[in-house]
Amino acid sequence: MITLTIDERALQVGPGTTVLQAAQAAGIEIPNLCHHPELRPNGGCRLCIVEVEGRPSPLPSCGLLCDEGMVVSTQSERLQEMRREIIDLLLSDHPLRCVTCDKSGDCDLQRFAYDLGLSETSYDVEVSRTLYQDDNPMFVRDHQYCILCGKCVRVCDEIVGASAIEISGRGFTSRVSTPFDMPMADSTCVFCGNCVQVCPTAALMPRSRIGQGREWELTHKDTVCGYCGVGCRIDFALRDGAILYARGTPQAPVNGEFLCAKGRYGWDYAASAERLTRPLIRRDLAHQLGLIPQPWEMPATSVLDARLGEDCFVPVEWETALDVVANRLAQTVREHGPDSVAGLTSARCTNEDNYLFQKLMRASIGTNNIDHCARLCHSSTVSGLVNTFGSGAMTNAIREIRDADCILITGSNTAESHPVISYEVIRAVKRGATLIVIDPRRIPLARHATLFLQVTPGADIYVFLSMMNVILRNGWADAEFIAERTEGFEEFVTGVEDFRPQVAALASGVAAELIEKAAEMYALGRRHQGSSVYPEERGHSTILYAMGVTQRSIGTQVVMSLANLSMMCGQVGKPSTGVNPLRGQSNVQGACDLGGLPNYLPGYQLVTDETKRKDVAAAWGVQTLPAESGLTVVEMMHAAEAGNVRAMYVMGENPMLSDPNLTHVEHGLRTLDLLVVQDIFLSETAQLAHVVLPAASWLEKDGTKTNTERRVQQLRPILPSPGEAQPDWKIICSIGQRLDQALGVARAPEFWDFGSSAEVLDEARRVTPIYRGIRQARLGTQGLTWPCPTEDHPGTPILHTQTFSRGKGHFAPIEAQSPAELPDDDYPLILTTGRSLYHYHTGTMTRRSEALSWRDPRGHAEINTADAERIGIRDAGPVVIASRRGQVRTQARVGNRVPPGVVFLAFHWREAPANLLTQDFALDPQAKIPEFKICAVKLEAPKRGRG
Ligand code: SF4
């Protein structure tokens, strides 16, 4: 430790601490305008100058390292005079309109000027920068307020990695600009708004805040972002009950002050006029029930061709809708048995909603036919990591990524699907970590990669096996870890002997030398510069992966390969290591944890385990629970088509866009006797429903969600729900009470009687061992990571530190196989699907956000230049993509982001639904996940028509 004195206070700090950091930690304020704790010291504003005994001139404290015995003074009259002069100079080139400025009360320049007794400049000069750039709907740039602190430039480079802006010009013409002053939309800007967040003045302002009031007129409320699985906390500024803008806060445990475009600008969907505000019943059912006189028939045309409006439905009272749902479900159970009913719970809903939904399916209906979109994204993570580690979740915390020495990213377009996690990756790379990207697409992070292995779709498993082959032959394996912590190594190891890099190169298209380099970097945690924060000789390497790995017919095998790789190198159970599946939706982790799966009760207790089943049944006060695993999502649709499933209850899911082979999905849903959809909009699935129930959105809810790193966080309602929309958990309780009555089952009053979401979680944690210590009252702003077995347990950020969840880590033998549907003469290209930065899942919310839709209004397919030229497709021109299951027409984006022979299409677009093309016949045998990532397609340039 270093001992120094600041303003006559003796302080002790660690090596590498700056004087500014030491002062701030001790509560001593040193004014500064260009410093940000997450950015490298800049020293540009000079406001943070301090005097140090023995030094002739004041020094900027932001870049001054503490030294033993240093004596520092921060507030002398000399310093204050110099600071006054600095502020005076800044004000001389700044409009003095604090009275009318929208940033008034929230502006650092104004605050420090007032603190130093300055309300105007002593200089008599004109403001030199007068440019006002109003080129996007998210924020405005008013250069006359800019003090050239450079924070926006540095956050864009050091945190986001977009490098969209720089300081250009000289002297009085200096300004922050895009290259050639092009519009933001034409630059590499990703519209995350983090530059706006760190701007100390009114130079960058959220557009929605302009002219809407000063900071002191606003109230603030925070909740957890409802989009991806990162789980950022967002602070919303409100005026008269309406959201004005969103921001991050330093206290947020995952994201701190930083957000992505969806979190910062994607909240206006909640006020859309298209929100569902009353329960609806389809006209033919309403006629059948005598609610309306005229008969009506569901149009036979596909909902994807013609959106069916609310006029296909009749609004009804809640009582009527709930009675219809309960009576129809009861009738189905009586006539066809409990397994003729199936339910989709939701990764967008809270833990409490999911817990009650599976309770309804299991206890009241009596079926395990419950699943959700986790089946379609990370079910192979659960099976693969349970087989090897014993727990199917992210092993380490998101914040540890910044300290990793080597990061291996595969099958994850992190910068677009989990942007705030990519900020951690950028931080690590800027500090000297190596980055290995293994992906078929040249994803944005490939630009920052030390090694980019552009692999043939479906052939990554050969690269991983070959990396292990190289590691073993070079003696880079961690023999001690393997001997002490694992089992099955000897049997496994023979399976990698054949996978020399030259062999893998032929299968994967990745050069053998790249495979060898990647193996060494990962195994030994090699950095490209700087020193590790960890003391061991072997650096710390972490693996991040997502659906490029899991949405495969061999997803479980690929996940197990990654787990084997990490165990072989001892890169698990320590900080900044591990195997980290990045979960897609905001609560996909929680929906799985709380039992939204056909084979697991809450807490991953197998439904086939009689003891566990009896424990849960006893806690609920029911005689028995169903003992057979239920149907998965894809199996449900097949069973609906076959007439074996007769009724479905879908909460917050949209299988009519998200499931594979949509033609079959639509046929299955149309075949049902009863389809109940509970949602916030009349989604493509809701348009096929018999009954539609209006639910509250994530901005209107309380309860909890569990992010991808297993952190359970508290949601708080920001807005009131529109019309008669209700929180999902309340709707489920109302249906449960009525359904039990309709089935003639007597229950204890408390079975469906909860006064709050906190009471629901209290019941849930009693039957969920990994959540047992988690109460809403304990969560605060930081949340808790499971496992959290007791009420005084602090949570578990890193798994498998001493032993694996299953005891010893298991080296699972790997069977490498090719994808189920490969290109042939008829369909010569591979289609791979995924997400775009500005949209989320099936676009229900983001496509109703004005800002996000402006940035990415319609679908497009990425096509390699060579393929486009050969087929005659031009950039931004139309293209038809056809597979054996259907065809879609969209816009082409021609370039080299995908290699020749590969086409990419995001699955958000109802007018170009990627899942009309994907296949549902090849499922991973263990996880039952379909192979979304690979199917064979052909491209056509549509003939020009007259119209
Ligand atoms: Fe929301 Fe994910 Fe963006 Fe964070 S990274 S703001 S959780 S969408």
Side-chain angles (χ1 to χ4, degrees):
M1 295 295 274
I2 295 166
T3 304
L4 78 163
T5 305
I6 302 182
D7 290 350
E8 299 180 356
R9 285 174 59 185
L11 304 174
Q12 285 208 316
V13 298
T17 308
T18 64
V19 170
L20 182 61
Q21 287 169 335
Q24 285 176 334
I28 300 167
E29 191 186 9
I30 302 177
N32 62 80
L33 284 167
C34 71
H35 176 75
H36 190 283
E38 299 259 16
L39 303 175
R40 288 192 197 126
N42 177 272
C45 75
R46 312 310 266 189
L47 206 57
C48 70
I49 43 175
V50 293
E51 289 177 308
V52 180
E53 243 180 50
R55 304 277 188 101
S57 317
L59 297 163
S61 59
C62 62
L64 180 64
L65 289 178
C66 295
D67 211 353
E68 185 62 32
M70 196 180 234
V71 178
V72 180
S73 165
T74 72
Q75 305 295 333
S76 70
E77 188 42 46
R78 180 189 177 206
L79 289 172
Q80 294 296 74
E81 192 45 49
M82 292 173 90
R83 287 178 187 142
R84 260 192 292 276
E85 184 59 30
I86 292 167
I87 295 283
D88 196 3
L89 280 166
L90 288 172
L91 293 179
S92 73
D93 198 15
H94 190 91
L96 288 174
R97 291 192 209 124
C98 287
V99 177
T100 54
C101 176
D102 285 301
K103 193 80 180 258
S104 188
D106 189 25
C107 168
D108 289 347
L109 179 63
Q110 182 194 49
R111 182 162 70 88
F112 292 130
Y114 287 177
D115 286 353
L116 291 163
L118 286 167
S119 57
E120 59 182 27
T121 177
S122 62
Y123 293 89
D124 183 19
V125 287
E126 296 280 305
V127 175
S128 56
R129 281 177 295 276
T130 53
L131 194 58
Y132 178 82
Q133 287 179 290
D134 184 4
D135 57 5
N136 73 82
M138 278 92 151
F139 53 86
V140 292
R141 297 184 282 160
D142 197 342
H143 293 249
Q144 59 184 332
Y145 290 97
C146 179
I147 56 169
L148 294 176
C149 67
K151 275 188 188 176
C152 54
V153 175
R154 284 180 287 142
V155 82
C156 188
D157 176 52
E158 293 176 28
I159 305 286
V160 182
S163 305
I165 47 178
E166 59 189 2
I167 294 184
S168 65
R170 290 286 180 275
F172 285 112
T173 66
S174 302
R175 67 195 179 282
V176 174
S177 74
T178 53
F180 310 107
D181 274 327
M182 63 173 66
M184 292 306 296
D186 297 339
S187 73
T188 53
C189 177
V190 290
F191 293 93
C192 60
N194 292 319
C195 53
V196 183
Q197 169 103 26
V198 298
C199 178
T201 68
L204 288 166
M205 290 281 282
R207 169 177 301 282
S208 54
R209 191 178 164 179
I210 303 292
Q212 298 298 319
R214 311 297 166 71
E215 193 56 35
W216 61 81
E217 297 168 293
L218 312 181
T219 52
H220 284 262
K221 290 185 193 171
D222 77 324
T223 192
V224 180
C225 179
Y227 291 119
C228 85
V230 179
C232 298
R233 282 207 85 84
I234 306 180
D235 178 89
F236 288 96
L238 296 109
R239 181 160 185 186
D240 301 330
I243 296 175
L244 271 195
Y245 69 92
R247 67 180 185 187
T249 59
Q251 300 76 33
V254 182
N255 55 304
E257 290 184 64
F258 305 119
L259 295 168
C260 79
K262 291 190 284 290
R264 200 178 293 279
Y265 301 112
W267 37 263
D268 49 335
Y269 76 88
S272 164
E274 293 180 51
R275 282 290 301 273
L276 293 170
T277 56
R278 291 192 64 188
L280 305 171
I281 290 187
R282 208 161 85 188
R283 280 187 183 271
D284 54 355
L285 179 59
H287 171 69
Q288 204 181 321
L289 295 170
L291 297 172
I292 54 166
Q294 7 21 349
W296 182 84
E297 284 205 359
M298 187 77 169
T301 177
S302 167
V303 294
L304 297 172
D305 296 333
R307 186 182 281 269
L308 309 183
E310 280 193 34
D311 57 346
C312 299
F313 296 88
V314 184
V316 293
E317 300 299 320
W318 264 108
E319 298 295 311
T320 309
L322 293 169
D323 283 342
V324 170
V325 171
N327 292 336
R328 287 281 168 135
L329 284 174
Q331 187 187 349
T332 310
V333 171
R334 274 194 304 267
E335 290 177 5
H336 305 286
D339 287 334
S340 64
V341 180
L344 294 182
T345 192
S346 176
R348 285 188 270 168
C349 292
T350 64
N351 288 328
E352 293 75 8
D353 301 332
N354 278 286
Y355 169 76
L356 288 179
F357 193 94
Q358 61 86 41
K359 182 178 172 182
L360 178 89
M361 297 303 295
R362 293 191 159 111
S364 290
I365 293 174
T367 181
N368 282 318
N369 288 345
I370 169 170
D371 205 0
H372 70 289
C373 68
R375 176 74 40 210
L376 308 176
C377 59
H378 273 284
S379 53
S380 40
T381 285
V382 176
S383 54
L385 292 187
V386 166
N387 289 348
T388 47
F389 295 167
S391 170
M394 207 166 145
T395 57
N396 288 65
I398 292 167
R399 285 247 167 166
E400 294 167 28
I401 296 168
R402 65 181 65 179
D403 292 327
D405 299 302
C406 174
I407 301 166
L408 190 162
I409 300 182
T410 183
S412 159
N413 182 5
T414 319
E416 297 198 72
S417 299
H418 301 88
V420 168
I421 292 184
S422 82
Y423 304 164
E424 292 287 329
V425 175
I426 297 291
R427 280 182 179 99
V429 171
K430 299 276 178 190
R431 293 175 186 185
T434 44
L435 172 63
I436 305 165
V437 172
I438 304 177
D439 204 284
R441 288 171 78 209
R442 190 172 284 278
I443 54 173
L445 275 179
R447 196 159 61 85
H448 300 271
T450 322
L451 296 179
F452 173 44
L453 282 59
Q454 193 162 25
V455 65
T456 305
D460 50 359
I461 194 162
Y462 301 109
V463 174
F464 305 138
L465 288 167
S466 182
M467 283 173 69
M468 288 188 262
N469 176 299
V470 173
I471 289 164
L472 289 170
R473 282 192 292 110
N474 285 281
W476 295 329
D478 187 337
E480 197 178 311
F481 186 93
I482 293 168
E484 287 178 8
R485 299 282 313 270
T486 69
E487 62 190 17
F489 181 69
E490 298 306 327
E491 298 87 310
F492 160 74
V493 104
T494 53
V496 300
E497 280 166 3
D498 294 338
F499 291 96
R500 291 198 163 244
Q502 293 73 11
V503 176
L506 287 176
S508 67
V510 177
E513 310 84 72
L514 283 179
I515 296 174
E516 283 170 6
K517 277 189 196 154
E520 181 183 357
M521 271 181 202
Y522 173 78
L524 303 179
R526 291 259 194 257
R527 302 177 65 78
H528 72 80
Q529 68 177 49
S531 49
S532 178
V533 300
Y534 300 109
E536 303 99 43
E537 199 179 314
R538 187 188 291 263
H540 287 208
S541 299
T542 186
I543 296 174
L544 312 180
Y545 73 89
M547 288 177 276
V549 159
T550 56
Q551 289 183 330
R552 308 259 295 280
S553 59
I554 57 160
T556 302
Q557 298 289 321
V558 190
V559 171
M560 291 194 303
S561 301
L562 295 173
N564 290 348
L565 177 62
S566 74
M567 288 192 290
M568 180 179 283
C569 304
Q571 296 286 13
V572 62
K574 300 182 292 188
S576 307
T577 64
V579 180
N580 296 295
L582 308 182
R583 311 297 300 256
Q585 301 212 51
S586 59
N587 199 34
V588 69
Q589 184 66 56
C592 295
D593 298 344
L594 273 304
L597 297 169
N599 53 339
Y600 286 119
L601 295 161
Y604 303 99
Q605 304 174 94
L606 283 166
V607 295
T608 48
D609 183 327
E610 192 180 351
T611 312
K612 306 282 187 206
R613 220 172 46 242
K614 281 187 171 166
D615 286 350
V616 175
W620 286 347
V622 299
Q623 293 289 318
T624 56
L625 288 171
E628 300 286 320
S629 289
L631 298 173
T632 64
V633 174
V634 179
E635 290 170 337
M636 282 175 197
M637 298 305 168
H638 289 169
E641 269 196 303
N644 296 326
V645 163
R646 314 290 291 244
M648 276 188 82
Y649 180 6
V650 177
M651 174 175 77
E653 293 255 317
N654 191 9
M656 263 311 298
L657 276 188
S658 63
D659 286 18
N661 196 356
L662 293 179
T663 309
H664 274 285
V665 174
E666 178 162 0
H667 187 238
L669 294 176
R670 280 183 183 270
T671 310
L672 292 168
D673 299 337
L674 176 69
L675 174 61
V676 180
V677 175
Q678 189 167 305
D679 213 316
I680 63 173
F681 290 107
L682 197 66
S683 68
E684 289 72 18
T685 305
Q687 291 171 49
L688 294 174
H690 297 88
V691 183
V692 180
L693 304 174
S697 79
W698 61 269
L699 283 163
E700 297 141 16
K701 279 185 161 183
D702 70 1
T704 59
K705 284 188 177 179
T706 307
N707 78 348
T708 185
E709 61 175 355
R710 299 172 279 106
R711 185 182 299 272
V712 183
Q713 300 191 88
Q714 180 81 48
L715 268 71
R716 297 193 179 86
I718 305 297
L719 301 170
S721 301
E724 297 173 19
Q726 288 193 23
D728 292 279
W729 68 267
K730 284 193 178 172
I731 304 172
I732 299 164
C733 288
S734 301
I735 291 175
Q737 279 163 349
R738 285 171 168 77
L739 179 60
D740 288 342
Q741 264 177 12
L743 288 168
V745 180
R747 300 273 189 216
E750 63 274 15
F751 196 82
W752 292 117
D753 189 12
F754 298 92
S756 66
S757 66
E759 286 182 19
V760 179
L761 185 63
D762 268 340
E763 181 183 300
R765 71 196 183 94
R766 286 202 293 276
V767 297
T768 311
I770 52 177
Y771 277 58
R772 195 147 292 156
I774 298 177
R775 287 185 296 114
Q776 286 194 11
R778 284 193 70 198
L779 295 177
T781 56
Q782 301 301 297
L784 281 165
T785 43
W786 65 255
C788 181
T790 59
E791 288 198 34
D792 56 359
H793 193 282
T796 312
I798 307 178
L799 294 178
H800 320 305
T801 50
Q802 303 302 319
T803 57
F804 283 90
S805 303
R806 66 182 296 284
K808 290 212 164 190
H810 173 60
F811 276 95
I814 302 299
E815 281 177 45
Q817 275 174 23
S818 297
E821 190 180 66
L822 287 169
D824 55 22
D825 289 347
D826 295 334
Y827 295 91
L829 298 135
I830 292 175
L831 173 76
T832 188
T833 64
R835 294 168 189 241
S836 96
L837 175 60
Y838 301 98
H839 290 288
Y840 168 77
H841 214 244
T842 60
T844 322
M845 294 180 281
T846 51
R847 295 200 72 189
R848 289 179 171 92
S849 161
E850 194 186 325
L852 300 175
S853 290
W854 166 82
R855 190 68 188 103
D856 200 0
R858 71 182 77 81
H860 59 262
E862 291 174 10
I863 298 165
N864 186 271
T865 311
D867 292 326
E869 279 174 5
R870 185 169 41 78
I871 301 163
I873 296 163
R874 62 186 166 82
D875 188 34
V879 60
V880 172
I881 313 172
S883 77
R884 288 187 174 82
R885 290 150 295 277
Q887 65 174 42
V888 303
R889 181 185 166 121
T890 186
Q891 193 183 58
R893 192 168 288 179
V894 177
N896 72 344
R897 209 171 175 196
V898 289
V902 177
V903 179
F904 172 82
L905 182 63
F907 72 101
H908 312 298
W909 317 105
R910 72 177 304 280
E911 63 276 29
N915 286 321
L916 265 180
L917 308 170
T918 52
Q919 43 94 355
D920 60 350
F921 64 84
L923 304 181
D924 178 284
Q926 258 187 285
K928 308 269 181 80
I929 192 168
E931 195 151 53
F932 283 104
K933 282 291 181 257
I934 299 156
C935 72
V937 293
K938 62 183 174 187
L939 300 179
E940 283 169 18
K943 308 240 176 340
R944 284 205 180 158
R946 283 167 165 247

